[in-house]
Amino acid sequence: MVTGAQRYTLDLDVPGAKPCVVRRPPTFGGTVRSVANLADVRAMPGVLHVVTVPTGVAVVAETFGQAITAKAALRVTWGPGPADQLSDAQIRTRLRAATPPLLVPPLLTPYVDAEFDFAFVSHAPMETNCAVADVTDDRAEIWSGLKSPIVARQTIAADLGLPLDKVTVHVVQAGGSFGRRLFFDAALEAARISRACRRPVRLMWTRVDDTRHGRMRPATHHRIRATHLLGEVLSFEHRVAAAETDFRHGLGEIITATAAHLPLGIGNATLAQTLFLTTVKSPYHFGLTTQALTEVPTGIPTASWRSVYSANTRGAEEIMVDELAAATGKDPYRFRRTFLKTDAQRAVLDKVATEGNWGRPMEPGRAQGIAFHEEYKSRTACLVEIDVRDPQRARVTKAVIAVDVGLPVNPRGLEAQMIGGLTDAISTTLRAGLHIDKGLPLEGSYSQFHWAQQRDTPRDVRVFVLPATGTEPGGAGELGVPAAVGAIANAWARATGSKLRSFPLDFDVDFTPYPR
C-alpha cells in the first residue's frame, strides 16, 4: 500500500472489461425520464454503449476520459427523488421535532441542559466506489471491495434472475471506508450495466459521484440534561434524534437483509435500536442514566460510519461532563476520575493526565481538553492541546492517548487505530461535514469536504498501550473517535470560553459547488 504495489479493483486486468461511468441524478434517488440526445452521445469518439439503469445513465467507452466526456454531454430529464426538498434547515427542524422530551424535571435541583447538532459526514475513502462485472445470459462474475460479500452475491443473483451457483463474487482489497462498503452499490450497478451492454465493464464512481451520491453518516440532534446536588450527579438523560441509518445490508446475508426491508422501516429500526442500546453506555456513576434513540427517515442514503452512534453520542456526553464539572466547581480530569466506575477506566485516564501534564499553564488562545470512552470491552482516554489564536484555522497541536484492550495482540496496529480515530475526530469536529441543499450535498471533492490534512494534524502524538489486563482482546477500530471528539471540543471551549453546540465548528460554504 505504501509503495503503490497493492492492486485494487480498477487495477485488475479482466479481459474485455471496458471503462464505465454513470450520469447520476441532480438529487438523491432521482430517476431517468428521458435522454434527449442519445444518438449523438453514442456517436461520440470511443463510446461503445449508453444504457439506462435504475441509478442513472451509464456510458461505456474505450477510455475513462471518453466515457466522462460523453457522460457530461448527456441531456437527461430526471424524475424526482425522495429528498428533493430537503436542505440542512429542514433536516434540523425535523430532528429537533422528533427528539423525545426529557423526563426528569429539574424542579429546585441545579441542572445543566444542552442541545447539540452534528452534520452529515461523507465516508470519503481514498478509493471511490467501483466494481468490475462480467455478466452473460447464464452466469455473472463480479470483482469489488466488499464487506458483505455473501449478501452481495445473493442480492445480485436475485436481481439478475440467475441461480446462486452461477454468480461468483471476488472480494478485492478496498481502499478505505469504515462502513461504506457494507453496501455493495457499485457491484450491483456494474452487474446491471454489464447485463444491459452484454459485455464486461469497469465501473468507476468519480470523486464527485462518491461525495454526493455515496452513503454518509447521518446528521443527529442531541438533547441532554443532568441534575446535580452537593457535588453528586443525580440524573443524566440523553435523547438522540438521527436521520435513519441504513442497515439494510442486514447481518451480512439475505435473511436479515430482507428482514431489514420490512414495511415502515420496522426491521431497519430494530437493527438500529439494537446497535444503539448495545454500544452506547455511560461509563460514569451519574445516578439515573437514560439514553434513547429516535430515527427519522429522510430518503438520504446513509450507512454506518466509524463508531456508528458513539462518535456523536458519546462525544456530546463528554462535552456535557466538562460542563457538569464547571457547574460543580471541579477540575474536568478530577471530576471524571471521581465518577468513573472501575479502576481500569481510571487507569487510562490517569495515564493521559500524567503523560500529557494535565493542568499545565498555557498562554491565552491555547488550552487542554480531556475525555474518556469505553466500548467493545476496551477503554481509552484522550488528552489534546489546541491552538485557536488563528480563528480561521484552529489546530490540535498535541495529543496523548492511552488505550486498554484487555489483551493487546498487535500494539503497533492499536497505535495506528487510535491515531486514525484522532484524525477522524479532528476532521469532523473542526471542519469536515456535508451541506445538504435541496436533496444533494454541495460538496463534491476533497477540496470542498474539508478532511484533515497533514497541516491539521498534531506533530506531537503519543499513544500508550497499557499492559494486558485480561485474557481476551477487546475492539479497537471504533474506539478511538468518541474520546477524541470530546477532548477536542473541550479544549476548544476552554481556549475560547465558548460553549459548543454545532459540529463541525467551521462549517462555512467557502467554495463554488460543482454543477449538479
Side-chain angles (χ1 to χ4, degrees):
M1 294 180 187
V2 173
T3 64
Q6 176 67 49
R7 287 168 62 81
Y8 297 94
T9 298
L10 292 183
D11 296 319
L12 302 178
D13 185 14
V14 176
K18 293 297 185 179
C20 173
V21 294
V22 175
R23 176 70 177 270
R24 302 187 186 279
T27 58
F28 297 124
T31 56
V32 179
R33 285 184 171 169
S34 64
V35 182
N37 60 338
L38 193 57
D40 292 341
V41 174
R42 283 175 172 163
M44 290 179 69
V47 173
L48 302 172
H49 305 274
V50 182
V51 297
T52 297
V53 291
T55 47
V57 182
V59 177
V60 181
E62 293 289 351
T63 69
F64 275 115
Q66 291 168 332
I68 291 169
T69 299
K71 179 190 78 165
L74 285 165
R75 297 202 304 270
V76 185
T77 299
W78 300 98
D84 285 9
Q85 303 307 313
L86 279 184
S87 298
D88 284 338
Q90 289 85 358
I91 293 166
R92 289 195 176 190
T93 297
R94 282 194 187 186
L95 295 179
R96 287 173 179 268
T99 308
L102 300 168
L103 300 178
V104 178
L107 298 176
L108 300 177
T109 308
Y111 66 96
V112 177
D113 268 7
E115 297 192 35
F116 302 91
D117 290 295
F118 290 82
F120 285 95
V121 172
S122 173
H123 283 83
M126 288 293 291
E127 180 194 39
T128 62
N129 224 11
C130 56
V132 178
D134 183 4
V135 178
T136 65
D137 290 337
D138 59 357
R139 63 162 188 83
E141 194 167 6
I142 293 95
W143 296 258
S144 190
L146 300 166
K147 296 183 74 174
S148 302
I150 296 172
V151 69
R153 177 176 177 241
Q154 293 167 329
T155 303
I156 291 169
D159 190 84
L160 298 177
L162 291 174
L164 188 60
D165 63 359
K166 298 298 182 181
V167 177
T168 302
V169 169
H170 302 278
V171 180
V172 185
Q173 173 71 50
S177 84
F178 273 108
R180 169 66 181 92
R181 299 183 203 277
L182 287 166
F183 286 92
F184 41 91
D185 314 66
L188 177 59
E189 189 175 56
R192 288 169 170 171
I193 296 167
S194 178
R195 177 178 61 179
C197 297
R198 306 183 71 82
R199 73 176 308 142
V201 299
R202 300 159 57 83
L203 172 68
M204 177 181 70
W205 287 37
T206 66
R207 179 64 59 192
V208 176
D209 289 344
D210 213 52
T211 306
R212 285 186 161 175
H213 292 275
R215 296 174 179 271
M216 60 198 75
R217 183 183 80 177
T220 57
H221 179 73
H222 303 254
R223 184 173 295 153
I224 306 177
R225 172 178 293 159
T227 62
H228 59 93
L229 186 65
L230 301 177
E232 292 294 324
V233 180
L234 306 180
S235 66
F236 192 94
E237 294 182 90
H238 190 170
R239 302 291 178 263
V240 183
E244 182 184 64
T245 301
D246 196 344
F247 294 109
R248 291 177 179 86
H249 49 73
L251 301 180
E253 40 58 57
I254 201 70
I255 295 176
T256 53
T258 301
H261 282 82
L262 286 172
L264 303 177
I266 295 172
N268 194 73
T270 300
L271 284 172
Q273 293 293 339
T274 299
L275 186 62
F276 181 85
L277 293 173
T278 54
T279 58
V280 177
K281 306 285 186 183
S282 173
Y284 302 102
H285 284 298
F286 278 171
L288 176 63
T289 299
T290 59
Q291 295 153 310
L293 169 71
T294 300
E295 292 208 308
V296 179
T298 61
I300 295 173
T302 60
S304 301
W305 191 94
R306 192 176 190 181
S307 297
V308 196
Y309 295 108
S310 297
N312 294 353
T313 303
R314 285 287 301 122
E317 290 182 357
E318 286 298 307
I319 297 170
M320 278 293 287
V321 173
D322 257 40
E323 295 188 13
L324 264 174
T328 56
K330 302 291 179 58
D331 171 82
Y333 157 59
R334 294 292 174 187
F335 183 83
R336 283 175 171 80
R337 199 180 192 288
T338 299
F339 287 97
L340 284 172
K341 296 176 180 178
T342 69
D343 289 339
Q345 294 170 339
R346 284 185 282 272
V348 292
L349 186 71
D350 290 344
K351 186 67 173 178
V352 298
T354 301
E355 297 292 344
N357 193 13
W358 172 260
R360 73 182 185 89
M362 302 189 73
E363 59 192 285
R366 301 181 63 196
Q368 295 177 314
I370 195 168
F372 175 88
H373 180 60
E374 183 174 62
E375 192 171 352
Y376 296 109
K377 300 181 181 180
S378 300
R379 56 213 56 86
T380 183
C382 179
L383 182 154
V384 303
E385 294 184 1
I386 200 167
D387 186 342
V388 300
R389 289 174 295 180
D390 177 358
Q392 302 302 314
R393 201 78 187 187
R395 188 170 186 273
V396 177
T397 56
K398 178 180 179 179
V400 180
I401 300 167
V403 57
D404 170 12
V405 296
L407 177 64
V409 176
N410 178 1
R412 291 289 288 169
L414 276 172
E415 181 180 355
Q417 289 280 20
M418 304 313 291
I419 293 173
L422 172 68
T423 304
D424 290 347
I426 290 171
S427 304
T428 57
T429 305
L430 297 181
R431 299 192 71 214
L434 295 176
H435 293 86
I436 308 300
D437 178 62
K438 296 180 181 178
L440 199 73
L442 294 179
E443 286 76 8
S445 72
Y446 286 132
S447 65
Q448 300 171 349
F449 177 64
H450 296 311
W451 202 254
Q453 301 175 17
Q454 284 187 326
R455 64 177 178 174
D456 301 308
T457 56
R459 297 179 182 178
D460 184 359
V461 179
R462 288 178 289 161
V463 179
F464 296 91
V465 178
L466 270 61
T469 57
T471 58
E472 296 181 353
E478 318 284 354
L479 186 67
V481 182
V485 168
I488 294 164
N490 290 335
W492 194 94
R494 287 161 62 87
T496 62
S498 303
K499 292 186 177 181
L500 305 182
R501 295 295 182 259
S502 186
F503 299 92
L505 293 171
D506 181 0
F507 199 37
D508 294 332
V509 180
D510 57 358
F511 55 89
T512 300
Y514 292 104
R516 291 177 180 248

